[in-house]
Amino acid sequence: MADSFLILAQAGAGSPLGTFGFLAVLVAIMYFVMIRPQQKQLKEHRNLIAGLKKGDDVVTSGGILGRIHQVDEGTVTVEIASGVRVRVLKTAVSAKGTVPVAGAPTATSTEKKEEK
């Protein structure tokens, strides 16, 4: 039984160059699948935060939609309703522009004609 284990171990042991090549390919795949897209997304988020200004419609990471009322060094004041303002960290802003809410009723073209 021990002999069969040794035979399998020797058969599985390839050249060290082949093992190194396999590891290099594995690391390259991990870089292009995980690390590079994450760095690109982080760069886009930094540009988004740097470009925030008064009057922009934003969505926070908590899902709050509103319009920027004031921009400070590390925070922004977001007006979420008429006269209701919330201070949030700039890093909590996840998107710029109004995002349509799923499940919210939208008027179709036939409904718009009927309203007239």
Side-chain angles (χ1 to χ4, degrees):
M1 184 123 175
D3 294 332
S4 63
F5 177 71
L6 291 174
I7 292 171
L8 289 174
Q10 289 175 352
S15 69
L17 187 59
T19 304
F20 180 72
F22 175 74
L23 287 175
V25 168
L26 190 64
V27 168
I29 290 171
M30 293 295 284
Y31 174 76
F32 283 106
V33 171
M34 292 178 65
I35 298 170
R36 189 167 181 239
Q38 188 176 17
Q39 288 176 341
K40 183 178 179 183
Q41 187 179 19
L42 183 63
K43 183 179 178 183
E44 289 173 1
H45 190 253
R46 284 182 184 154
N47 290 338
L48 170 81
I49 290 171
L52 293 176
K53 62 185 182 300
K54 183 177 179 177
D56 287 345
D57 290 330
V58 293
V59 180
T60 66
S61 58
I64 298 174
L65 294 119
R67 180 166 285 133
I68 294 179
H69 182 262
Q70 180 180 0
V71 179
D72 295 325
E73 187 174 327
T75 61
V76 293
T77 304
V78 180
E79 187 169 12
I80 57 176
S82 180
V84 180
R85 296 182 183 138
V86 180
R87 281 182 49 205
V88 295
L89 294 174
K90 279 186 175 181
T91 56
V93 175
S94 61
K96 202 173 186 181
T98 305
V99 177
V101 179
T106 57
T108 60
S109 60
T110 57
E111 291 177 29
K112 288 180 184 176
K113 289 178 184 177
E114 291 176 4
E115 289 177 4
K116 292 180 182 180

